Amino acid sequence: MEIAMPNGTSFMFDIHKQLVARNAVEVHAFAEITSDYQRCLDQLRDLRVRNAQLDKEAAELRRESVELSHAAQEARNGVANSQEVADMRAEVSKLKDELAPVYKDKARLTEELMQCRESLARVRDINEKHSQALDEATGRIRDLQSRNKELSQQVDNERATQAVAASELETSRHERAEAEQKLNKLTADNDELVQRLVEMKATEVERMNEVNRTCDEMLKSARSMERQAAQQAQQSANSMRHTSSILRTPSLSGALRGMRIRGAETGGEVAAPAAATPVPEKATKSVPAHDGGCFTCAFDRSGSHMATGGADKVVKLWDPATGANTGSLRGMLDTILEVSFTADQKHLLAAGGDQALRMWDITSGRVRHTLTGHTGKVSSVDCSPSSSLRAVSSGTDRTIKVWDLNKGYCLRTIMCHSSCNSVRCTRDEHLICSGHFDGTLRFWDIRNGKMANEVTGLHTQQICSVQIGTRDGNNALSMRVCQTVHVCFAVLLMLSVLLLSLFFLLDILGSLHMHSWLALHLAVDTSLAC
């Protein structure tokens, strides 16, 4: 922003012009009084001269009167002519008559002199007042001059600041231009990377489709070999009766028939057969729980207690049977994102946006531990189902932390490739499962902090929730933001099913060649990878 400042010379000239005009106005107010005062001084000077002349004439008249008196005295003492005495008396009388007006003039001049002195005193008082006013005006002029100097300095400072701001603005514009160039370059690089990613995804989809086709062909080959084995078994009726009974049991075909393999955008999925579970059509009970939204709920191991957390920073305990609120746990400083009961059902952990976890004693309602260490909001927490002293947590800082709930400190920190949205403990106390922002499901060994397994291609978007099966702990359920659910079998369970099926098949097909068996094993492994 540029500030237009007045020119220094014109500004000084305007200030001087205003001061001169103000001085002229103030001097004009005293001009008449000054002229009266000067006129009184002139009149007083004339009166003093006139008074001096009259005094001189009076002195001469006195001297003449004295001389005449001496002469009259001498005339009275001597033998003088009476006529001269009469003339001299007449002269004295005449001089007295002339002296009377002089005395009158003197008295008048004295009165005028007193009036002039009074006028002069008034004029002096007025002059003193005017002098004070002039002194005040002079002081104001000095103040205005100092203020003018200060304003001039401020103008110079403003000009210097304006120059610095202009240079900074030019530098900012230059930096902005460079930043825009970098942004354009980064945008181009990003577009290129996106294009390459799309091409890689397309290649991966083609590869997965090819794998699916190969898997279908290998399954068809396995079914055909099973049919051939059945025919050979029927030909040896008495000797292979036991073998034919085995063929009617679940074999490799039966084991694999329970799995559904289909192509998808992510390259395919494997789903386990599940018993039909009735889905509720409506809610049996609705209870207002939290102000601002309820973000998490969890049951204890027995299912007799439930805990919820939300935006009001309070953990509430409920009776699932009646829907009654049985207690509240306070102490969180931000929104509660997930809660979890310990295995012994005596404590409860909560994770939230304040970068910390808190552990409450459910009986007393007091905070036992405040677990800190995450540098971002803690998005997930889960307690070990086999140990009441072990828990895991994950956050947006791309870390998974293992906690000792007895001492309240972190046992291990695992760095992840992507932000972890959900983490769960398995029944194997050394293995945990995590769902990430990049759509990948990962398994970790907490003994060494290394990744034990990784399942990619399940979701095209981020995984927002992961759950472990409660019956055998061998199934993991993951969900993404597009509301698609995938079921991933644990590797050991799948291998055990495959080996059992292969044993049945080898018992039936004693004459199966080694290369056919290797092809079948490769097909099953490929289907599992899908």
Side-chain angles (χ1 to χ4, degrees), residues 471-491:
R471 293 185 178 180
D472 54 4
N474 292 326
N475 297 334
L477 180 68
S478 64
M479 185 173 66
R480 63 172 180 174
V481 294
C482 63
Q483 300 179 356
T484 301
V485 178
H486 297 272
V487 177
C488 302
F489 286 92
V491 177

Side-chain angles (χ1 to χ4, degrees), residues 36-37 40-41 43-44 47-48 109-127:
D36 292 340
Y37 177 71
C40 290
L41 289 177
Q43 187 177 2
L44 180 60
L47 290 174
R48 285 179 177 174
L109 290 175
T110 303
E111 291 178 358
E112 291 180 358
L113 181 60
M114 294 298 294
Q115 293 177 357
C116 288
R117 287 180 177 175
E118 292 178 358
S119 299
L120 182 60
R122 288 195 299 270
V123 170
R124 286 178 177 174
D125 294 337
I126 295 173
N127 192 15

Side-chain angles (χ1 to χ4, degrees), residues 285 287 317-327:
K285 188 178 292 294
V287 179
L317 303 177
W318 306 87
D319 184 353
T322 61
N325 182 213
T326 59

Side-chain angles (χ1 to χ4, degrees), residues 96-285:
K96 287 180 179 181
D97 293 338
E98 292 178 357
L99 186 61
V102 172
Y103 284 134
K104 291 181 180 180
D105 292 338
K106 183 178 180 181
R108 182 175 59 80
L109 290 175
T110 303
E111 291 178 358
E112 291 180 358
L113 181 60
M114 294 298 294
Q115 293 177 357
C116 288
R117 287 180 177 175
E118 292 178 358
S119 299
L120 182 60
R122 288 195 299 270
V123 170
R124 286 178 177 174
D125 294 337
I126 295 173
N127 192 15
E128 289 179 357
K129 294 179 180 179
H130 290 174
S131 299
Q132 294 177 357
L134 287 174
D135 293 337
E136 293 177 357
T138 303
R140 287 197 296 270
I141 290 173
R142 285 195 298 269
D143 295 338
L144 290 174
Q145 289 176 351
S146 62
R147 180 61 177 169
N148 186 20
K149 290 181 181 179
E150 293 178 358
L151 292 175
S152 299
Q153 292 178 357
Q154 291 180 2
V155 168
D156 295 336
N157 294 333
E158 290 293 336
R159 287 178 178 174
T161 304
Q162 183 180 1
V164 173
S167 63
E168 291 179 355
L169 178 61
E170 186 64 26
T171 304
S172 299
R173 288 177 179 174
H174 183 66
E175 292 177 353
R176 180 182 178 184
E178 293 180 352
E180 289 178 352
Q181 292 178 358
K182 292 181 180 179
L183 178 61
N184 295 332
K185 184 178 179 181
L186 291 175
T187 303
D189 295 340
N190 186 34
D191 295 338
E192 183 180 357
L193 291 175
V194 169
Q195 183 65 27
R196 291 173 59 185
L197 180 61
V198 171
E199 294 176 356
M200 291 174 62
K201 288 293 184 181
T203 305
E204 184 179 357
V205 168
E206 291 295 333
R207 184 178 62 83
M208 297 305 295
N209 291 334
E210 183 66 25
V211 170
N212 288 334
R213 287 192 293 269
T214 305
C215 182
D216 292 337
E217 293 175 357
M218 299 307 293
L219 286 176
K220 291 179 181 178
S221 177
R223 291 191 185 97
S224 65
M225 286 188 291
E226 185 180 2
R227 287 194 296 270
Q228 292 176 3
Q231 292 175 1
Q232 292 178 1
Q234 290 178 0
Q235 291 176 0
S236 56
N238 296 328
S239 61
M240 299 299 293
R241 183 176 301 172
H242 181 68
T243 305
S244 60
S245 63
I246 295 177
L247 284 172
R248 288 192 295 270
T249 62
S251 61
L252 174 62
S253 176
L256 296 178
R257 194 176 295 113
M259 293 190 291
R260 179 168 52 90
I261 303 174
R262 67 178 180 85
E265 295 178 357
T266 59
E269 67 176 359
V270 178
T277 303
V279 179
E281 297 181 356
K282 62 179 181 178
T284 59
K285 188 178 292 294

